[in-house]
Amino acid sequence: MTPRKQTQAACRLLATLAGTAFAVGTALAQSPAIPPSLVTPDKVETRIGTLDFKDGAPSRETLDKVYDNLDFIHATSAFLNTLSGVSIHSARKGLLSVGVKDNEVIVFSQLMDAKSLFLTANADTVYAIGVLDLTKGPMVLEVPPKFLGTIDDYWFRWVIDLGLPGSDRGEGGKYLVLPPAYDGPLPDGGFAIARARTARVLWFGRMFLEDNDPKPAADAIRKYTRIYPYQAGGVGTPIAEFLAGKAKLGPVTPPPPTVFHDGSGKVMNTLPPNDFSYFESLNEVVQQEPATSLDPELMGPIAAIGIVKGKSFAPDARMKKIMTEAVALANATARSLFMNPRDPSWYHYPDSGWVNMLFESGYEFETPIPEITREGVKPFPPTGYRQLDARSAFFYGVTGITPAMAMRLPGIGSQYVWTMVDADKNYLDGGKTYKVTLPKGIPAGKFWSFTLYDTMTRSMLDTPQRYPRAGSQSYPSPAAEAGADGSTVVFFGPKQPGGVKRGNWIQTTPNKGFIAMLRLYSPLEPFFTQKWRPSEVELVK
């Protein structure tokens, strides 16, 4: 290339570079501003104080505030979303405190009274309760005829129903409970099979009095209830399966005797704590159960506060302070949800104080329970979301969960409504006298009852009456009597009102709030259609 051509090429290159630079500069000069919705201001005012940022970068003080708040949120979520697990763990610890080991049974042969702390238990039926330990393999639970019960896993998720709502339909039956990930041999028949996601499960149930006497029910529980390890190749394995090479053949041996304890009159605490020890109990559950026993999204906040399977739980002073504050607020939140629900759909009747959120949330706190029509069951479509407030409120005040608690099937199981307020929406005061009127034709195929509970413990109200109940049964207190018009009036108050029969009065304690729960055993259609409705709790004086 000649010198002249080289000069011309250089000029063209310089011109090109100059044009490019001009274009880039113009483009930069004309680039749009960052949209305001994407800008984090230098100062942000929040409920945790002023947060400082420099061109989006948080200051050291801001980082401290934000991370303290994040840890607080995780700790609060961990409490509100794991009440079920800590509740069942507390129930097991309560049983252990009176000598009831796993794979044993406690029977309340003279009914449960107000001395023990049990979430909204009753004094109407004979309870049987136990924990199955599945860590060594499948366990068999045999239940008696006329039993009404269920099995829940260690996060209080329903596993299977027993007895009347279960596959034996009240005839008595055998239930084989499998541990997580069990892939061993199964019987060909003779057992209802249930798979658990946890290494321990809680089973519980009740039987009804016969002629107002608890003894036949207690005797039947002791006679028919059996707990023992499953023997593969024994009962439930046909010889033909062995001959075909499909199963091993094992001996048929009598099960070991089941250990029974009498719970009546014993004092135990089965309630979850609401101080820092709550997280210590939660850690015990996490360490005991498989890492996959709880959904990862729910396990996330638990892990974020230092509770991780296989690791020690040792929060430092900063974290312990945050968690102590979080559990106080979370407890206050759960208590508020239970004591004074803001969701109108939780109330069973319009403009009423009578509550049961399960009709709206279902037993899985997701989809309302199905309608029962003359054409059959009419399910609601899945909502696709968990009703977290309903779940927190329920497990704060109630124990146990089963589809049988959330169904509109007349004549089966039992249904409850409860209230913490009177007709004027004031909390019930044990120093005052109230009355509730049950119109004629109380829709209970078997029997009905009222039970009063302590607002602090959500357990039966402890008074000189011992059994804070009234109802159609004449044990353990006289039966309530109807008036001339067929309606039944029940009074709540510190002293028995003049002219009121003993069976129509439940004693309260001055300076102590209470909760009133109405139970209908074998509820009938007028309850579900709301053609029959109890009055609100009315202040007498």
Side-chain angles (χ1 to χ4, degrees):
M1 182 181 294
T2 64
R4 182 176 180 180
K5 289 183 177 180
Q6 289 178 344
T7 301
Q8 290 175 342
C11 290
R12 287 195 297 269
L13 176 60
L14 289 173
T16 301
L17 292 174
T20 301
F22 177 79
V24 170
T26 301
L28 289 174
Q30 295 176 350
S31 62
I34 299 175
S37 62
L38 303 182
V39 172
T40 298
D42 290 345
K43 290 189 179 295
V44 179
E45 301 297 335
T46 73
R47 65 172 56 194
I48 63 173
T50 301
L51 306 180
D52 297 311
F53 295 87
K54 183 178 181 181
D55 195 25
S59 67
R60 173 51 55 188
E61 294 77 9
T62 292
L63 288 172
D64 290 341
K65 291 178 183 179
V66 167
Y67 285 132
D68 282 356
N69 185 62
L70 183 59
D71 290 336
F72 184 87
I73 291 172
H74 288 321
T76 304
S77 297
F79 180 98
L80 291 173
N81 292 325
T82 63
L83 275 166
S84 53
V86 177
S87 180
I88 206 168
H89 188 55
S90 300
R92 176 172 176 255
K93 291 167 75 172
L95 296 178
L96 290 171
S97 74
V98 293
V100 184
K101 301 175 184 177
D102 294 349
N103 302 328
E104 297 180 351
V105 186
I106 188 168
V107 184
F108 291 84
S109 58
Q110 296 296 316
L111 307 187
M112 190 183 297
D113 63 21
K115 295 302 181 184
S116 283
L117 299 178
F118 275 85
L119 291 175
T120 50
N122 70 64
D124 302 309
T125 60
V126 178
Y127 277 108
I129 306 171
V131 172
L132 299 183
D133 181 356
L134 308 176
T135 57
K136 296 179 180 178
M139 295 293 294
V140 177
L141 170 62
E142 297 186 17
V143 299
K146 301 180 182 179
F147 194 69
L148 175 65
T150 195
I151 297 177
D152 288 336
D153 76 8
Y154 220 77
W155 291 107
F156 248 137
R157 293 170 301 210
W158 177 70
V159 177
I160 195 170
D161 281 330
L162 309 170
L164 290 163
S167 60
D168 72 85
R169 300 296 296 277
E171 297 298 314
K174 299 179 180 180
Y175 292 80
L176 175 59
V177 187
L178 307 179
Y182 177 78
D183 60 357
L186 295 174
D188 187 58
F191 299 85
I193 297 176
R195 293 185 178 273
R197 294 173 61 185
T198 55
R200 286 182 174 85
V201 299
L202 177 75
W203 69 272
F204 59 95
R206 52 198 186 273
M207 291 188 68
F208 301 125
L209 279 58
E210 295 185 17
D211 297 324
N212 293 300
D213 183 0
K215 187 176 185 302
D219 289 347
I221 291 171
R222 290 190 177 91
K223 179 179 179 179
Y224 292 104
T225 304
R226 295 289 181 269
I227 296 173
Y228 52 90
Y230 170 65
Q231 291 184 317
V235 173
T237 302
I239 297 295
E241 291 286 303
F242 167 70
L243 296 175
K246 297 180 180 179
K248 294 181 178 180
L249 207 58
V252 177
T253 57
T258 300
V259 177
F260 292 92
H261 302 259
D262 199 311
S264 294
K266 290 188 176 178
V267 178
M268 66 196 84
N269 175 21
T270 69
L271 304 187
N274 55 21
D275 58 9
F276 180 79
S277 65
Y278 179 93
F279 294 112
E280 295 171 330
S281 291
L282 177 58
N283 180 62
E284 292 170 0
V285 177
V286 171
Q287 301 307 326
Q288 169 188 294
E289 296 302 329
T292 56
S293 67
L294 194 63
D295 296 338
E297 288 294 326
L298 290 178
M299 196 64 85
I302 302 173
I305 59 175
I307 298 176
V308 178
K309 174 79 171 179
K311 297 183 179 181
S312 62
F313 173 53
D316 58 20
R318 166 192 164 274
M319 194 64 189
K320 189 170 183 178
K321 180 177 183 294
I322 289 172
M323 294 171 72
T324 301
E325 293 174 351
V327 74
L329 181 58
N331 172 71
T333 302
R335 177 171 285 276
S336 297
L337 286 169
F338 178 71
M339 288 293 300
N340 206 324
R342 66 178 179 178
D343 188 335
S345 70
W346 294 10
Y347 294 89
H348 191 58
Y349 307 98
D351 191 28
S352 172
W354 295 108
V355 177
N356 188 336
M357 70 283 289
L358 294 184
F359 287 103
E360 178 66 19
S361 71
Y363 75 97
E364 291 187 315
F365 306 99
E366 180 183 0
T367 302
I369 62 177
E371 299 278 2
I372 306 296
T373 69
R374 298 189 182 279
E375 292 73 32
V377 177
K378 182 182 177 183
F380 289 93
T383 62
Y385 59 86
R386 193 81 65 200
Q387 297 186 40
L388 300 178
D389 288 352
R391 183 175 64 186
S392 296
F394 182 86
F395 283 112
Y396 191 81
V398 185
T399 191
I401 194 68
T402 162
M405 296 175 71
M407 61 183 181
R408 294 185 172 93
L409 190 59
I412 302 294
S414 55
Q415 288 295 340
Y416 321 140
V417 289
W418 59 89
T419 186
M420 290 69 69
V421 297
D422 63 18
D424 296 320
K425 302 298 189 293
N426 297 314
Y427 291 120
L428 300 176
D429 181 346
K432 299 177 180 179
T433 299
Y434 303 87
K435 69 176 182 178
V436 175
T437 301
L438 305 180
K440 181 180 179 181
I442 299 172
K446 289 189 179 294
F447 65 94
W448 63 270
S449 75
F450 270 113
T451 306
L452 300 189
Y453 298 96
D454 186 320
T455 54
M456 185 62 69
T457 65
R458 295 89 72 203
S459 302
M460 281 190 278
L461 188 66
D462 191 7
T463 71
Q465 280 186 339
R466 185 182 178 189
Y467 300 101
R469 51 85 60 193
S472 54
Q473 294 186 151
S474 60
Y475 184 93
S477 56
E481 299 181 26
D485 63 353
S487 66
T488 303
V489 181
V490 178
F491 290 81
F492 313 138
K495 294 182 180 181
Q496 184 173 343
V500 173
K501 298 290 183 66
R502 167 63 184 85
N504 293 64
W505 167 64
I506 307 177
Q507 189 173 21
T508 60
T509 301
N511 302 315
K512 168 57 65 179
F514 66 93
I515 302 163
M517 180 177 286
L518 173 64
R519 286 180 167 87
L520 303 174
Y521 290 89
S522 295
L524 303 177
E525 188 173 358
F527 170 74
F528 297 107
T529 62
Q530 300 184 5
K531 290 182 178 179
W532 182 92
R533 171 178 174 172
S535 76
E536 299 301 299
V537 179
E538 300 171 316
L539 179 64
V540 176
K541 61 178 181 177

